[in-house]
Amino acid sequence: MDSAAEPLLPQPATALDHLGRPVSHLTSGRWPAAVFIIGVEISERFAFAGISGNLISYLTGTLGQSTASAAAAINAWNGAALMLPLLGAAVADSWLGRYRTVIGASLLYILWPLLKVAINLVSKHSGQTNLMRMTLKNVPQGAPSSIGGTLGLFWVGSKKYRFYPPRSSEGLFGHISKLLQEWIQRWCASWCPKSSDDSHCAASSSSKGDKHDVEKKCYPYEAVAVLKLLPIGATCLVYAVVFAQWMTVFTKQASTLDRWIGSIQIQVPAATLQSLISVSVVVFVPIYDQILISLARKYSKNPCGITTLQRIGIGLVISVILMVVAALVEMRRLRIARDYGLVDKPEVTIPMSFWWVVPQFVLSGLADVFTMVGLQEFFYDQVPDGLRSLGLALYLSIFGIGSFISSFLVYAIDKVTSRSGDSWFSNNLNRGHLDYFYWLLAVLNVFGLAAFLYFSQMYTHKKKSVSIQ
């Protein structure tokens, strides 16, 4: 659909306060409101990272799971966590609204201590819950309390928020079902002899005679706008598979290396290296905004420097480089293990500094600055204004599906490669072949990049409406 043919959506309804009264744009919204929301997000990320960052070490260490099963389980868990926002977005956009949805989701986090109390009480009367009790005991204790505190902070900021009623009682899924029904009817009609009555769309066309009116009547605009985003999202699934590796095999790989820092004799925990991704993002975002974009504006006609799709594409290129670097580092690690006779001694630290794996964590952060941030901006900007929550949920679902794909890949590769010898994900990584896995992801990334370039050239951006508030 040509962007020029897209109807301009009506502006959002009048903003209300938390008591349902009209609110002034001068005293609500913007940074005073954003500060409270950012606080909640920081707390939620703290809770999530505290659990996910250490899962691979915990599952393979404390619980004694194999590397492959632990990696597959973590990817599946992470995939489910990233897919659930689709449900939350549908609830927020069509039913409860964003404010009540955030409150409800935060309460689920706070229920965690109550679950621990219940498990401990049950475990006193049954020895069959020892494993679950041990699992709960090792979860970071500060996570639920953290969510419980900036929830309080979120509630305090209620007077600063702007509330908009849902745009449609049907919700997006009702629109999409109507669109699919229309498409099926049109496809069926194409196989039948045309009659004088013809189809609903033809009748609308003859009576109205306006292309815009026909499209608005035959195709729910909001559903079309969302479906247009899916090819772009699908081509980024391989990048999402790469994204899933830093909390599993990257961390497991780093745990075999020499992680002592010089004369101060401090050993860096393997999971701590994951923080390099966040540090890289914090460092590179200002460089991107202040330097790279300024340079790009000089050589392009785009006032933003580069388009959102170009930003995503650059990140996909970086992800290919990332996997090549990771494969080369793993090849070196395996070679050193052979040279020092450590192939069958997985408990012995490889005499190779952990600094060798630092580049792949840094490149992960750099790729996120371009692709992950770019996708977030793309999905938020290109969905209709009343479906912004769903746009962000669709963006997260890319990484959720990617995590599920990663889980399947790890499981399938482990089953196939273990038949003829050591698995690529052998518990003894010195006999495994993570390098083969990294090379596979690099090749798949190239195909994903090619598909992205194709669909990004076909994509037409949403025509934005202009409002004065």
Side-chain angles (χ1 to χ4, degrees):
M1 180 187 296
D2 187 3
S3 61
E6 293 176 356
L8 296 182
L9 292 178
Q11 295 304 312
T14 302
L16 308 175
D17 65 8
H18 64 295
L19 297 178
R21 301 170 301 192
V23 65
S24 171
H25 286 267
L26 299 178
T27 60
S28 65
R30 301 183 182 275
W31 278 110
V35 168
F36 296 101
I37 298 172
I38 291 172
V40 171
E41 180 64 14
I42 291 174
S43 298
E44 190 276 331
R45 288 294 89 189
F46 171 80
F48 184 83
I51 297 173
S52 63
N54 295 281
L55 270 180
I56 187 67
S57 299
Y58 176 63
L59 293 180
T60 58
T62 304
L63 297 187
Q65 292 188 8
S66 66
T67 300
S69 61
I74 293 171
N75 287 330
W77 170 79
N78 192 48
L82 292 172
M83 291 296 291
L84 282 175
L86 280 174
L87 174 61
V91 170
D93 285 336
S94 303
W95 183 30
L96 292 180
R98 298 168 189 171
Y99 177 80
R100 294 185 182 89
T101 303
V102 171
I103 294 290
S106 299
L107 289 174
L108 292 178
Y109 268 103
I110 299 175
L111 289 176
W112 185 252
L114 300 179
L115 177 60
K116 291 186 64 177
V117 172
I119 294 297
N120 287 330
L121 289 176
V122 173
S123 65
K124 293 180 180 179
H125 305 284
S126 173
Q128 297 178 359
T129 58
N130 287 337
L131 178 61
M132 184 175 292
R133 182 174 60 178
M134 181 175 64
T135 302
L136 292 172
K137 182 179 179 181
N138 284 274
V139 170
Q141 302 297 307
S145 59
S146 171
I147 289 294
T150 52
L151 178 54
L153 182 64
F154 179 78
W155 179 78
V156 169
S158 297
K159 293 183 179 180
K160 295 293 183 180
Y161 304 143
R162 297 175 188 170
F163 298 82
Y164 295 95
R167 289 182 55 84
S168 171
S169 59
E170 276 188 319
L172 175 74
F173 298 109
H175 285 323
I176 290 181
S177 64
K178 280 187 175 181
L179 176 63
L180 293 177
Q181 183 180 2
E182 289 283 352
W183 281 352
I184 293 174
Q185 289 176 350
R186 288 171 61 86
W187 181 82
C188 292
S190 66
W191 291 91
C192 300
K194 292 187 178 181
S195 63
S196 57
D197 194 18
D198 227 356
S199 65
H200 170 70
C201 291
S204 300
S205 178
S206 59
S207 60
K208 299 292 183 180
D210 185 89
K211 182 180 180 182
H212 292 191
D213 289 340
V214 173
E215 290 183 350
K216 285 188 289 184
K217 190 172 184 65
C218 295
Y219 300 102
Y221 167 73
E222 293 179 339
V224 173
V226 171
L227 290 175
K228 283 172 57 181
L229 304 177
L230 298 186
I232 298 294
T235 59
C236 294
L237 287 176
V238 179
Y239 171 80
V241 174
V242 172
F243 176 84
Q245 306 313 314
W246 59 262
M247 69 174 61
T248 54
V249 291
F250 278 14
T251 302
K252 188 66 176 177
Q253 178 188 22
S255 68
T256 68
L257 303 179
D258 181 5
R259 290 173 280 111
W260 290 95
I261 299 180
S263 59
I264 59 178
Q265 293 299 300
I266 295 179
Q267 188 178 39
V268 179
T272 302
L273 294 175
Q274 298 174 9
S275 63
L276 292 173
I277 299 176
S278 300
V279 172
S280 300
V281 172
V282 172
V283 171
F284 284 123
V285 164
I287 295 175
Y288 171 85
D289 289 334
Q290 301 300 322
I291 299 177
L292 296 181
I293 293 301
S294 298
L295 292 175
R297 287 195 186 105
K298 295 181 180 180
Y299 301 100
S300 68
K301 298 180 181 180
N302 189 343
C304 297
I306 61 175
T307 66
T308 305
L309 291 177
Q310 288 171 338
R311 182 174 186 171
I312 295 171
I314 293 173
L316 295 180
V317 173
I318 295 174
S319 68
V320 174
I321 299 173
L322 157 65
M323 294 316 304
V324 171
V325 169
L328 293 175
V329 170
E330 177 62 10
M331 291 174 65
R332 175 183 171 83
R333 192 192 70 83
L334 293 175
R335 184 171 65 252
I336 291 178
R338 291 193 298 269
D339 293 344
Y340 282 82
L342 301 178
V343 172
D344 294 316
K345 298 178 181 179
E347 71 284 354
V348 178
T349 300
I350 303 295
M352 174 179 171
S353 174
F354 75 96
W355 290 106
W356 281 94
V357 297
V358 167
Q360 62 200 62
F361 284 97
V362 173
L363 285 171
S364 295
L366 182 58
D368 288 353
V369 169
F370 286 92
T371 296
M372 194 172 188
V373 177
L375 280 171
Q376 184 175 8
E377 180 181 348
F378 177 75
F379 274 82
Y380 184 82
D381 182 67
Q382 292 299 304
V383 295
D385 294 341
L387 297 175
R388 293 284 172 82
S389 299
L390 188 74
L392 292 179
L394 287 172
Y395 143 77
L396 288 175
S397 70
I398 294 173
F399 296 90
I401 297 173
S403 293
F404 283 124
I405 295 174
S406 178
S407 179
F408 171 77
L409 278 176
V410 171
Y411 175 81
I413 291 173
D414 177 63
K415 291 297 183 183
V416 172
T417 57
S418 60
R419 293 174 183 173
S420 58
D422 292 308
S423 167
W424 287 7
F425 307 98
S426 172
N427 293 338
N428 177 4
L429 288 188
N430 299 334
R431 285 197 169 277
H433 274 292
L434 290 182
D435 54 336
Y436 293 174
F437 181 58
Y438 294 159
W439 284 118
L440 173 63
L441 292 185
V443 173
L444 292 178
N445 243 344
V446 171
F447 286 111
L449 175 60
F452 172 82
L453 293 175
Y454 173 77
F455 285 106
S456 62
Q457 291 177 352
M458 298 176 58
Y459 184 80
T460 54
H461 286 75
K462 179 182 77 173
K463 186 174 182 179
K464 299 181 181 179
S465 58
V466 180
S467 63
I468 300 177
Q469 298 180 348

